Amino acid sequence: MKRLRKRLALFLKYGTLASTLGLITATLIQIYARFYMENAPSWTEEAARFFFIYAMAFGAGLAMKDNYYVQFDVLFNRFTKKTRLWINRIVLLLTLFLFLLLALYGFHFVIQGLPEHSPSLGVPMSIAFSSMVVMGLSVSYFAGLQLLKTFKKPNN
Amino acid sequence: MIWALLLVFVICLLLRVPIAFALGLSCLGYLFWKGIPLIVVPMKMYSGIDVFVLLSIPGFILAGNLMNHGGLTAKIIAFCNHLMGHIRGGLALANIGASMLFAGISGTAVSDTASIGSVMIPAMKKEGYGTGFSCAITAASSTVGPIIPPSVPMIIAATLSGLSVGRLFLAGAIPGFLLGFGLMGITYYISVKRKYPKHPKSSLGQIARGFLDTFWSLLMTFIILFGIIGGVFTPTEASIVAVIYALIIGMFVYRKLSFKNILVIVLDSMKTSASLMVLVGFANLFGWILITEQLPQLISTEIMAFSHNKYVVLLLINVLLIFVGTFMETIAALLVLFPILLKVALAVEVDPIHFAVIALLNLIIGLTTPPLGICLFVSSSIGKVSIGTVSREGAPFLAVSLIVLILVTLFPQLSLYLPGIFMD
């Protein structure tokens, strides 16, 4: 389990870094082409968008792992420790449910995108749509882990 | 049904569900109830994120983080202190000046409170300023950031309304400086009254050295702004140019960036951006439901039934937005409310650019409005003082912010003058 968690975190980390590098490179080619080439390629904007969506999909899981999502905790802090623990569990369960549904219906979305192709790059849109499955699975995985942790180490 | 959706959203917020997920869960409840196929969840999320202008957000966040890693916050504060330290309450004035300069780099109020506050609040306390006052001025001054360009919330507003990012950036400049100088005025008045300390005057050499230390980072703001306004770059291209520029400056001028550092900063920036984009995605779904339920028309009809007077309508919108801004993060509130209220504003012939500035100003004022303003919480936790003390000390600053809001609402030229000059 520990090894799987490490490998998934590494996969998301390198996925985020590679997609970011792709986004930067595609945008730089776009700038270069506009200034120095007679016919600027049309694929750069599309490629940058695809890389961006993947960077965000990979990053969403890491953001869940490291608690980057903004919360409103004024009322929460007034509850007792035990109540806070149970609220935390319910919230994580709901998060798990929400993102599992995103992954599941994201898969339907991917299938729907199989016949479609992007206008400039000509790649199947299902590749871009798969980012929603990645986002759903990665966030739900880390939500699930955090939920398990609340049972294993309730004092943390 | 729409009220049940909003109720679930509020309950989720109170139970500390992250704002993005609260939007998603309330939408999910609505879709289940109405029997709408759940495939709309990934579809709307994807279409919400797949917008070219949004690509600039991770770029700006990354460029800001790369610059900040070179100790930029301390350098900006030192420069402002050289400039204003000899005036009574100089360090407090430097706090506001630093926020105005830092604005172009951080782009969000809460990060500004945290980064400037962590340096300034202990320094002000050490010099004999009241802790409550130090926290209050840090929170108040950080609200200048999202108004002065470049600003992440402005990019979001442009995405939601189809307005030009360049025009919105320019529109925020005068109101932002007005707010900054207004805060400086009241700070000086309080400092003289309480006899807060002043430093010996800095020499021209010290000021020049301070300027050189911050010059490269301030130049980045100008490259971004004039690149977009001059039509040289799109906002997305400008953000990537800013990243490359920040990398070069960080590695070869400030010499603080190593390969390992860069990887950590990139990952941190992408996690921040991804948490924003999940919010954008769910907000797109939420917005779609609100439109399906004709809530914008409902609110518009109700407000117009109350009054057709442009200023009464704007007053109502101001009150609503400040209230929402007190407990909701700026970008989340903007995503949910801006498209709805823009329709109302357009119905009473308010210019959309002018309205975007008003809306943003309201939401950031909410960040320092007691009892729930998020910036008050951040600064009070840094200064280890009660939120009540910070709120009391912050009252004069809040009053100045409200006066600026009233001026910006009543005089559209404050927002429209610069876009008119540079972009018409």
Side-chain angles (χ1 to χ4, degrees):
Chain A
M1 190 69 176
K2 206 173 174 184
R3 189 186 281 178
L4 176 70
R5 193 176 65 213
K6 268 191 175 170
R7 279 189 181 172
L8 188 72
L10 265 184
F11 171 71
L12 293 177
K13 186 178 152 184
Y14 288 117
T16 308
L17 289 172
S19 312
T20 309
L21 188 65
L23 163 64
I24 293 173
T25 311
T27 312
L28 285 177
I29 293 173
Q30 186 172 305
I31 299 170
Y32 176 83
R34 211 180 49 245
F35 285 108
Y36 299 106
M37 287 165 73
E38 275 186 25
N39 295 315
S42 59
W43 58 266
T44 48
E45 183 182 322
E46 209 170 84
R49 271 194 358 237
F50 284 0
F51 281 123
F52 164 69
I53 289 203
Y54 264 98
M56 296 303 105
F58 288 125
L62 292 175
M64 183 70 206
K65 178 174 161 270
D66 298 330
N67 294 320
Y68 271 65
Y69 293 95
V70 180
Q71 292 159 319
F72 171 74
D73 50 10
V74 176
L75 192 69
F76 182 82
N77 290 336
R78 295 184 183 180
F79 294 126
T80 61
K81 205 176 170 188
K82 200 176 172 190
T83 316
R84 287 207 299 256
L85 178 69
W86 276 102
I87 291 176
N88 227 351
R89 284 173 181 163
I90 294 167
V91 168
L92 286 168
L93 192 67
L94 287 171
T95 306
L96 179 68
F97 177 64
L98 174 69
F99 280 89
L100 276 179
L101 278 180
L102 176 68
L104 178 68
Y105 285 91
F107 189 68
H108 290 285
F109 187 40
V110 170
I111 292 168
Q112 232 180 45
L114 279 174
E116 292 177 40
H117 287 78
S118 69
S120 301
L121 288 169
V123 295
M125 283 307 288
S126 52
I127 293 178
F129 295 165
S130 302
S131 58
M132 294 296 107
V133 180
V134 173
M135 186 185 278
L137 287 177
S138 60
V139 176
S140 53
Y141 176 76
F142 287 111
L145 274 186
Q146 285 177 18
L147 182 63
L148 281 179
K149 212 172 165 185
T150 63
F151 287 99
K152 279 184 185 168
K153 295 175 183 170
N155 290 329
N156 287 354
Chain B
M1 189 57 212
I2 196 72
W3 302 114
L5 173 92
L6 296 173
L7 187 69
V8 172
F9 174 60
V10 173
I11 291 172
C12 285
L13 280 189
L14 293 177
L15 289 179
R16 203 169 165 258
V17 177
I19 301 172
F21 306 167
L23 282 171
L25 287 167
S26 52
C27 291
L28 211 58
Y30 175 90
L31 297 174
F32 274 132
W33 185 265
K34 287 270 180 175
I36 296 170
L38 294 183
I39 195 167
V40 295
V41 179
M43 280 170 85
K44 290 290 163 193
M45 278 198 79
Y46 183 87
S47 65
I49 302 171
D50 185 30
V51 178
F52 192 61
V53 179
L54 290 179
L55 271 68
S56 63
I57 291 179
F60 284 131
I61 292 175
L62 176 57
N65 283 345
L66 285 169
M67 273 293 184
N68 207 18
H69 204 82
L72 183 66
T73 312
K75 285 187 177 103
I76 288 180
I77 290 169
F79 172 55
C80 291
N81 212 10
H82 283 313
L83 272 183
M84 293 178 276
H86 62 284
I87 306 170
R88 178 109 16 227
L91 199 57
L93 295 174
N95 190 336
I96 304 167
S99 282
M100 289 166 78
L101 294 181
F102 195 68
I105 292 125
S106 83
T108 62
V110 180
S111 64
D112 190 348
T113 308
S115 51
I116 291 190
S118 58
V119 181
M120 273 310 222
I121 294 172
M124 287 177 72
K125 276 165 75 174
K126 206 172 161 189
E127 280 204 6
Y129 290 84
T131 310
F133 176 82
S134 309
C135 295
I137 189 63
T138 304
S141 66
S142 65
T143 59
V144 181
I147 299 289
I148 294 179
S151 139
V152 170
M154 288 280 194
I155 298 169
I156 300 271
T159 311
L160 293 169
S161 55
L163 296 169
S164 144
V165 174
R167 273 178 189 275
L168 272 177
F169 276 3
L170 280 174
I174 294 179
F177 281 105
L178 204 59
L179 186 59
F181 290 126
L183 291 174
M184 280 185 178
I186 190 74
T187 302
Y188 177 69
Y189 175 77
I190 295 171
S191 301
V192 169
K193 222 173 140 189
R194 295 185 185 174
K195 294 191 174 62
Y196 280 145
K198 59 179 179 180
H199 292 193
K201 206 168 185 171
S202 297
S203 67
L204 267 178
Q206 282 174 312
I207 296 175
R209 271 195 298 279
F211 176 73
L212 278 180
D213 268 350
T214 53
F215 171 76
W216 295 107
S217 53
L218 298 179
L219 187 64
M220 184 172 90
T221 307
F222 284 96
I223 292 173
I224 294 169
L225 267 186
F226 290 103
I228 296 173
I229 293 159
V232 183
F233 307 123
T234 63
T236 302
E237 290 168 356
S239 73
I240 299 301
V241 168
V243 168
I244 301 298
Y245 177 84
L247 269 175
I248 293 170
I249 297 296
M251 286 169 81
F252 302 112
V253 179
Y254 292 151
R255 294 169 190 271
K256 293 267 184 175
L257 291 178
S258 62
F259 182 70
K260 211 174 171 184
N261 277 344
I262 294 169
L263 291 187
V264 173
I265 297 166
V266 170
L267 274 176
D268 177 58
S269 306
M270 289 304 128
K271 281 185 258 184
T272 307
S273 307
S275 66
L276 278 179
M277 289 308 134
V278 172
L279 180 67
V280 169
F282 281 125
N284 192 46
L285 176 64
F286 195 80
W288 174 75
I289 292 174
L290 296 186
I291 290 168
T292 311
E293 287 283 332
Q294 299 190 318
L295 190 75
Q297 287 90 329
L298 184 74
I299 290 180
S300 180
T301 313
E302 288 296 321
I303 291 181
M304 300 299 274
F306 185 75
S307 172
H308 274 78
N309 185 304
K310 178 175 159 179
Y311 296 104
V312 174
V313 170
L314 283 176
L315 176 71
L316 289 174
I317 292 176
N318 281 348
V319 172
L320 171 72
L321 285 174
I322 289 182
F323 171 70
V324 173
T326 57
F327 63 88
M328 208 161 157
E329 201 263 337
T330 313
I331 291 171
L334 206 60
L335 284 164
V336 174
L337 288 172
F338 186 67
I340 297 174
L341 296 174
L342 181 63
K343 282 198 170 59
V344 182
L346 290 175
V348 288
E349 293 173 353
V350 177
D351 186 281
I353 298 272
H354 177 211
F355 181 70
V357 176
I358 295 176
L360 193 53
L361 205 49
N362 272 299
L363 291 173
I364 56 143
I365 289 173
L367 293 174
T368 57
T369 305
L372 302 171
I374 299 169
C375 286
L376 292 179
F377 276 90
V378 174
S379 69
S380 67
S381 69
I382 296 171
K384 294 185 179 58
V385 66
S386 78
I387 193 93
T389 311
V390 183
S391 303
R392 262 193 310 280
E393 290 284 344
F397 306 120
L398 185 60
V400 168
S401 304
L402 290 172
I403 291 168
V404 172
L405 173 65
I406 292 167
L407 289 174
V408 171
T409 306
L410 292 179
F411 302 107
Q413 276 308 309
L414 290 174
S415 313
L416 302 177
Y417 180 70
L418 287 182
I421 291 257
F422 286 100
M423 298 194 79
D424 278 344

